[in-house]
Amino acid sequence: SSGRVQGLLPTFRVRPRGRRARGHVLLPGAMEEQRAALRKLKISDLQQRLKDRGLVPFGPKQDLVERLLAEELKQAAPASAGDGDAIFGEIFGPGGGGKIDIDKKDKKDKKDGKDKKEKGEHKDKKEHKEQKAHKENKENKEHKEHKEKDKKEGKDKKEGKEHKEKDKTDKKHKDKKEKDKPAPAPPAPAPLPVQPAPLPVAPVKEKKDKKDKKDKKEKGKEKSGDKDKKEHQQATGPSPVSAPPAEKKEPAERHEDEMEDFWKAIAAGTTVEEDQPGTAANAAAEAEEEAERKRKMEEEAEAESRRQVEHAAAMADEARRREAELGPVDEAAAQAQMAAEAAQETDLHRQRQVVMSARDVDILQQENQRWLHRLEKLAPAASIIVQQRDSGDWEAIITGTEPGAARHAELCFRALFASLSSEVVEVRVPPVEDLARCVEVIDIPEAAEGCVLPHKLTESFGIIAAFVHDKERIRPRPSATAEQIELGRVLGLAVGQAVEIRYAEDWFHGKVIGFTTESTVLVEWLGGGEAEVSPVDVRASHAAAAKTNRMHGRLVLIGEQRPRIGAKFQAMAAVDRRVVGHFGEAHPPKPAGQLFGFDISVVALPSSDGGACARMRHKIVAASEAIVEVAGKYAFVAGEADERRRAKAFLSNLVPSAGPFGDAASIPDELSDCCSQVRVPLAAVAGVAGVSRANLSRIEDATSCLAFWLPSGTSAASGASADAPMQGTLILGSGDTCSAGDAVEASWRGDWHGAKVVGPGQDAGRICITWDFDGSQQDIVSDNVRLPGGQSNSSGSNKSTPGGPLKGARVLAVIGNEKNRRSCVLQIMASTESVCPGVWMASLEEAEMEARDGKPEDEVFCGVEAAKHEGTPAELEWLRSASVGQQALRSAARAAGCIIQIVGQAFFFAGFPAQRSRGREYVQWASKSRMQQGIAGLQGQGIARRGLSVVDADMRDDVSTMTVNDAHIAWLRLDKLAVIEKETETLLVFDDGGGSVLETGSRRLLICGEQDQLRQKARARVEAVCASAPPPQNTAQAAAPGVSLVGNAAAVKRPSSEDLAAGQDPKRSRPGIPKSDPRAVLKSIPWPDSINQWGMLQNKIWAGHPKLQRGWIRCWSRSQDSEYYLRLSDKLTTFNINEVLV
């Protein structure tokens, strides 16, 4: 590969590994003119000139021109081996440059072109034969035409031939005279940079070619005339006097002679031109052109000189800039620069400016600017303004209202973007732990590279986590002599500069280590090795130095105390999984030593743990409400005193000793205040636990509790006392209940005798009684006590097993906070009731006591009350359905702030009294609005056969109202409402206006919930959904697509006696289709739970039945055990088929 430096620098032929290259010098002025003149010549003329100089003529035209110029240069000014020739002396000064060795190049060209010469000679012979044959054919054709013309012209032909012979003889004498004329001597070559003699121009060759064609044509005609003359002599006889014939030459030989004469004239410096008039005028014009040409050459030389000066100045400026980028001049300057940077970073009052990219701005604007809000939360004493500069770049202006606030905000700002981009923050002064500003620092060892991901900590814990590294030390620039610096400035480079070096066709990284006096560059490759290369093969490296984001070292955590400690523990545990014992044993977190308040504890796990604590960690965290992380053989615990106490009890005792199915020998005393016990019949133990404890584990996850099976025979305790299974209520062995003072019968030696109940016995499972026959007291086993006469006060379901279903029941201990325990116990009771119906329905008061840990209502914070369902089984089944019923219950529970659970045929509500009251109302509202039928019994009312109507909605502080167009109701589907309800913790139901006057085509939406802020958020979400709905064409078409269960129904019309007495049979069937039995079809398929499903099953359930009017469908009423008809447009229902038949 080769390159060219602008100006007068030489062109080098680059060779790998710094081998010195040779080339030729480009000369301004005369040489450029000579090159232009040679380029106008044909390739054959250039080849002939090379032949005349003893060189092999091969290669393209450009190479031929350059070789001729090199030969002219060699003859004009041969290079010396000492201080260099005059040309290089001008460029590099005395002693600069190197010898231009062109002889070796010519010799190599001759050697390499030997084969090409032989091929060229073979080609020339072939072309010569073809040219000869073509000329002969052309001459024969011309002779034939001339002969035919002579026959017509007669005598004129002979005169014309004699005239042509005379002209030919005169022309030959003239050519011979000009040929014998001595040629002028060529001008002596002038020393450089004097302009050499101009070369001949192309028009001379063109005139010669035209003259040759004219001579060939005349020679052809002459040959034809000679042939005619010979024929005439044969016909008339020989002439009396005949001269001996002249020696003739072949056309090819004549052509070679002419070419040889032409090249001799060119070598002698003469031109062959025809005589033309006005020779003196032409000479004047040529002189004027020569003067103009010299003037232009002088202007170009001056411009070239200016360009060289400007280029040299630019190269020097570039070199100085590169030198400045290499660093300070010495070590003292480097230290001063680092000190200035450190002082600027630690300035507590300085305003900060952080340059941002467009991606950073997009991050701040995403998700309602949540990252910007987090920055404002973590740096409350600072102001952050993001603005765009005139150049189009973005920057953040950070100011503080107190000393150090701007610096802390800048750290938060840079750490946030570094974390989200998986990069690191580089500072001159590293941050230190500052609990006042919520900053904590931990060191991650290099062996744990990559195991701690800051962006995951940032996302999971609501903090800002990032690695902060020290900036690289500023190093002074490499030392270089003044001579090296000046040589580098000429080339625009500097010693120590990072560059790219060309090798073959590729570029490789390296750096400059020096320069030579021959204007070559000494470089060092990026992997080792040095080379000397040409400047054209070196260019400045614009690629930024590769930055390695080391994910280890100083990890900075910024955030509130609780989430910050959680992130810290998680990072420590991740490191200990890679580097065993690094934090668990060598560098554990240090507690503050506070008995009360938030603190840290390190718990050593028992040897029997076997990884159980690590597997149950998330459940321990939920049940204890502490921050827990397991690191090898230790566990890190953080939280309040009670939270740490509960977590320690889980980690050191209960969880490691529990069996594979969650069996525990006992509950530690540290957990007794947060433990509830619920009895589970033996027949329901497997159903409550599920396969591999899956069902019980699901309940634990849903309620944030931990449940353990106590040993068989353990009696349920009421709170901290184990005196009786229930306070005030005793359970007999038959499953019946009794209280103190009740008359009973007790067994004594196989006979039953009268007695009175005193209370629970000293031991579990015993009752204290007073015998009627002697008045003595005795504790006897509860199995030996019964009601008088063997009667029972329990339902028949409790008699399903001897001694009742709770006889020998297992006790399940539930640990968690009070509200979560209530939810967990109620779900376990519901699972028990589904397996053993009637266990808790026999006495709702007993079930309430079981859920309240056997305590009365006024002794607990989270009370429990039950209400038995008095509606139809269909209504209860709808509420139990996973699709809409359970969703409605969950929405009502979230909106009311209480726990709602269906156990058997009853509803259980847990929470504060006001919350339980709202929960009862919300369940009724949701059922009426979404199922179109109310639930009876929740407030002692009967079944409501009309839609929801809340007359006091406008006066309640837990309900907001809004009017919705009927066209938009179809787009408020249950799936969209469920999302809004879950996000805002509200309940959304439609009513009939509650007596208020509504506009035609509109409905009232009730937004129910405890907090007004959440209700307003739900209102905005509903308005957004309505605004996105397309405008409908008419009301009927708009309501049909939704087929939603949302909305109220008109009064259901029952068939009257007059309707049934009508003459038309409403049960007529469609001809040709067998009439199906709807009852039988419904028993064979799952019961449809939505209007959409009823619509899709019309042809299957009522096959062959009469066709209904458009927009009506059939449904089946379980309570009436008959079909009814529903109009989709307004949800109007009727039992009279005559109103809907086609």
Side-chain angles (χ1 to χ4, degrees), residues 239 800 1070:
S239 60
S800 59
R1070 297 168 63 185

mmCIF file of all heavy atoms in Angstrom, residues 239 800 1070:
data_model
loop_
_atom_site.group_PDB
_atom_site.id
_atom_site.type_symbol
_atom_site.label_atom_id
_atom_site.label_comp_id
_atom_site.label_asym_id
_atom_site.label_seq_id
_atom_site.Cartn_x
_atom_site.Cartn_y
_atom_site.Cartn_z
ATOM 1 N N SER A 239 9.006 -1.947 -75.161
ATOM 2 C CA SER A 239 9.399 -0.594 -75.593
ATOM 3 C C SER A 239 10.849 -0.641 -76.059
ATOM 4 O O SER A 239 11.631 -1.504 -75.650
ATOM 5 C CB SER A 239 9.260 0.399 -74.422
ATOM 6 O OG SER A 239 10.084 -0.008 -73.364
ATOM 7 N N SER A 800 -71.656 -37.322 62.424
ATOM 8 C CA SER A 800 -71.147 -38.164 61.354
ATOM 9 C C SER A 800 -70.077 -39.102 61.834
ATOM 10 O O SER A 800 -69.865 -40.148 61.258
ATOM 11 C CB SER A 800 -70.630 -37.292 60.213
ATOM 12 O OG SER A 800 -69.599 -36.450 60.698
ATOM 13 N N ARG A 1070 -89.858 -25.517 16.675
ATOM 14 C CA ARG A 1070 -89.525 -25.203 15.281
ATOM 15 C C ARG A 1070 -89.597 -26.479 14.460
ATOM 16 O O ARG A 1070 -89.063 -27.519 14.872
ATOM 17 C CB ARG A 1070 -88.134 -24.578 15.210
ATOM 18 C CG ARG A 1070 -88.063 -23.248 15.949
ATOM 19 C CD ARG A 1070 -86.642 -22.793 16.113
ATOM 20 N NE ARG A 1070 -85.989 -22.552 14.858
ATOM 21 C CZ ARG A 1070 -84.700 -22.230 14.725
ATOM 22 N NH1 ARG A 1070 -83.956 -22.117 15.805
ATOM 23 N NH2 ARG A 1070 -84.189 -22.023 13.537
#
